[in-house]
Each structure stands twice: as C-alpha cells, then as structure tokens.
Amino acid sequence: MSLSEFALIERYFRKVGAMRTDVELGVGDDAALLQSPPGAQLVAAIDTLNEGVHFPPGSPPASIGHRVLAVNLSDLAAMGARPSWALLALTLPKVDERWLEEFTGGLSALARSHDVALVGGDTTSGPLSVTIQILGHVAKSTALLRSGGRPGDKVFVSGTPGDAAGGLAIEQSKLQASSEAERYLRKRFLYPSPRLALGDCLRGYATACIDVSDGLMGDAGKLAHASGCGLELVFDDVPVSEELVSAVGVERARELALTGGDDYELCFTVRPSEVGRLQHNLPPGRWGYCCIGTLREAPGSIVTRGGSVIEFSHSGYDHFGA
Ligand code: ADP
Ligand code: MG
C-alpha cells in the first residue's frame, strides 16, 4: 500500500457527501455521533455490490460509487423515508488512487444532491466489494411498507423499467443500438436515479411500496405476497422507453421491463378510491408513473393481454436461484 490507511481515509473519505449539522462527530473517531430529529423513526438499510456479480469487472469507478449509494437511497425511497447519513465498507484489491478519486467522486456527487453525509466506514483489502449502510428518518408510523396492499388496489410503477437491463446488455457487448439509445440505456444502468422525491410524496397515498431492483414482476410479486394478495399485471400497460424499444422492439422491451434488474424505480399500490386524489395532486406526467395492474384475492402472479392470461415464467433475478 502506497498510502497509509490513515492518510487514505483522510484524503478520500473525510469530505465525501454533504455537510450536515446533525453530524456531531463524523469520519475520524472510533464511531460517529449523530443526532436524530425528535419524533422521527430511524430507518436503516444496507446493500453490497460485488465485482462480477453486481457490476461487470472494469466498470467506471464513478458509476460504482454512484450505484452503491443509489441502491441504498432507493430502499429508503421505497419506505417513504428521507436519507441523512451513510457508512461505507470498502474492500479493495489494491490502493489505486485514480480509482479511489473517481469512486469517491461518483459517491460524493450523488450524496450531496440528496444531502447525505458520509459519517464513517471501514477499509480492507480483498476482492473488490463495496457496501453502503444508509440511515434516514421518517415520521413515526408513516413509513410505506410492502404489506399494506389489499385486493382491488391499483398497482403503479415509476419511470421506464427495463432500461437498466438494456444498458447492462450494451455494457456486456450483448446488445447494440443507435449511439443515442446506447448512451441513454448505459446511463440508466450506470447512474440510476433513486426516486426519493416520489417516495417522500407517496406517504398518505400509497398503501404499499417496494423498490424495483430484481425485476418488476418479481418485486411487484413480493409486494403482493407481503400484502397477502395475488398480482395481475397488464402486459401492454407496462411503460417502456423509446430508446429501449428502438434497441430491442416493443415486445422484448416489455419483457425486459417485467424481468430485467437494476431499475431502482418504485412500485406502489393505491386504493381505487384514492387514485383520483393521487393523480390530481401528483400528476403522472410530471411525476413519471403509471398504472400497470391490480392486486387480487387469488395468490400468485399473472400477466394478461387483451383480457387473457399469457404465459410468463421469468420473475426476476434471484442470487441463489437455478
Ligand atoms: P477502527 O480501527 O477504529 O475501526 P478505522 O481505522 O477503521 O478505525 O477507521 C478510522 C476512521 O475512518 C473511522 O471514523 C471510520 O469510520 C473511518 N473510515 C474508515 N474507512 C472508511 C471508509 N471507507 N469510508 C468512510 N469512513 C471510513
Ligand atoms: Mg475499522
């Protein structure tokens, strides 16, 4: 190691992210001292990205820094919570200063844009692996859970899922498209936008919410299951981007939207009687979400087209699946 561990921490980790007045003691001591707002519940989540599993070897370091925070922010968005603080556990094969510069640059830019402070972490050597633990807050008893849906609730998704799967395929040279579409889709995989503003506004409207990380159909199915319901999705209502359609055609685009991973969009349910109020106060065109189906009594997930059930087997990425 060319830099001492101490110098490395001073140089790369002390000034990452936002400065916040609720950080009484940040990077540098044995632990951080943080002041939660009175009356709020602390919300905690953690996610790891491993090289070769969650990102291709040789991925841009700025993207790895952005994504490891984005996936955690997305979990807080799905809870309707606001993020405050992050801790970073970093395992590096070697100290590569240029890599660290770019990695912390990507991490810090996203952290600042959401007013998140990096308050601590751990640095070790080994195969490249990055973990963020995120801490945030939500007013007591207002968090969005997966379990609040009931039969008849309408199912919504934000954004255009499937783009990240298209972007990953382009990164892996498995897909080609116009240079404009390639740029857009790669960006959607490398630099996802966690839907914190939407999650924050959905408190009081959504009965249940989940972030879409492992494929829309699988994750919407998890929400339905946690709510004690089944799921019906309408194939032709699944939103897809022009760019993805231009790259793979509309049929395959909708399949990717249902089964591809790494979208970090929000899937949420709303009582049918509340849909009007939702759409009035959060106009779908401005907020970028649309209705894709319904929760139902019968367990399990189905996809329909023109009123009939279609065969649809893939249900998302499972790390330990076959
Ligand atoms: P300790 O041995 O007490 O765990 P460390 O030497 O691991 O202390 O860390 C010293 C300080 O640097 C701590 O405040 C820790 O939170 C911080 N730190 C270490 N690695 C990182 C990192 N990758 N990102 C942010 N802070 C870090
Ligand atoms: Mg330590």
Side-chain angles (χ1 to χ4, degrees), residues 44-58:
I46 187 164
D47 258 309
T48 294
L49 302 184
N50 292 326
E51 184 175 54
V53 180
H54 304 94
F55 57 89

Side-chain angles (χ1 to χ4, degrees), residues 88-102:
L88 168 68
L90 189 56
T91 303
L92 300 168
K94 61 180 190 311
V95 173
D96 174 341
E97 294 201 42
R98 186 154 159 217
W99 191 96
L100 277 166
E101 193 82 53
E102 290 178 26

Side-chain angles (χ1 to χ4, degrees), residues 2-209:
S2 50
L3 273 180
S4 74
E5 196 183 317
F6 178 76
L8 187 117
I9 291 166
E10 282 299 306
R11 181 168 308 171
Y12 293 106
F13 302 118
R14 194 183 277 284
K15 293 199 187 82
V16 173
M19 303 289 289
R20 290 179 59 103
T21 54
D22 55 11
V23 179
E24 289 175 6
L25 191 59
V27 169
D29 212 306
D30 290 311
L33 292 175
L34 308 166
Q35 188 59 56
S36 283
Q41 277 179 308
L42 186 63
V43 185
I46 187 164
D47 258 309
T48 294
L49 302 184
N50 292 326
E51 184 175 54
V53 180
H54 304 94
F55 57 89
S59 289
S63 157
I64 301 169
H66 178 105
R67 283 185 76 226
V68 69
L69 180 59
V71 303
N72 279 282
L73 293 176
S74 181
D75 283 325
L76 258 58
M79 301 299 289
R82 291 186 184 165
S84 306
W85 313 306
L87 294 115
L88 168 68
L90 189 56
T91 303
L92 300 168
K94 61 180 190 311
V95 173
D96 174 341
E97 294 201 42
R98 186 154 159 217
W99 191 96
L100 277 166
E101 193 82 53
E102 290 178 26
F103 170 82
T104 51
L107 175 62
S108 197
L110 184 65
R112 284 186 186 159
S113 72
H114 292 289
D115 197 26
V116 171
L118 185 71
V119 298
D122 197 25
T123 309
T124 56
S125 76
L128 182 58
S129 173
V130 295
T131 298
I132 287 263
Q133 180 183 35
I134 191 83
L135 298 167
H137 297 95
V138 69
K140 199 166 164 47
S141 307
T142 66
L144 303 173
L145 309 184
R146 295 180 180 184
S147 54
R150 65 182 189 212
D153 284 4
K154 292 292 162 194
V155 179
F156 295 82
V157 72
S158 66
T160 50
D163 288 345
L168 175 60
I170 290 164
E171 283 293 288
Q172 296 174 323
S173 308
K174 292 177 183 166
L175 176 67
Q176 281 189 318
S178 69
S179 58
E180 211 174 303
E182 285 200 354
R183 197 162 351 134
Y184 168 84
L185 295 170
R186 288 182 63 233
K187 185 163 176 244
R188 294 273 289 154
F189 172 72
L190 294 172
Y191 298 95
S193 305
R195 303 300 181 192
L196 283 157
L198 179 61
D200 194 29
C201 289
L202 285 175
R203 278 179 288 109
Y205 297 98
T207 52
C209 189

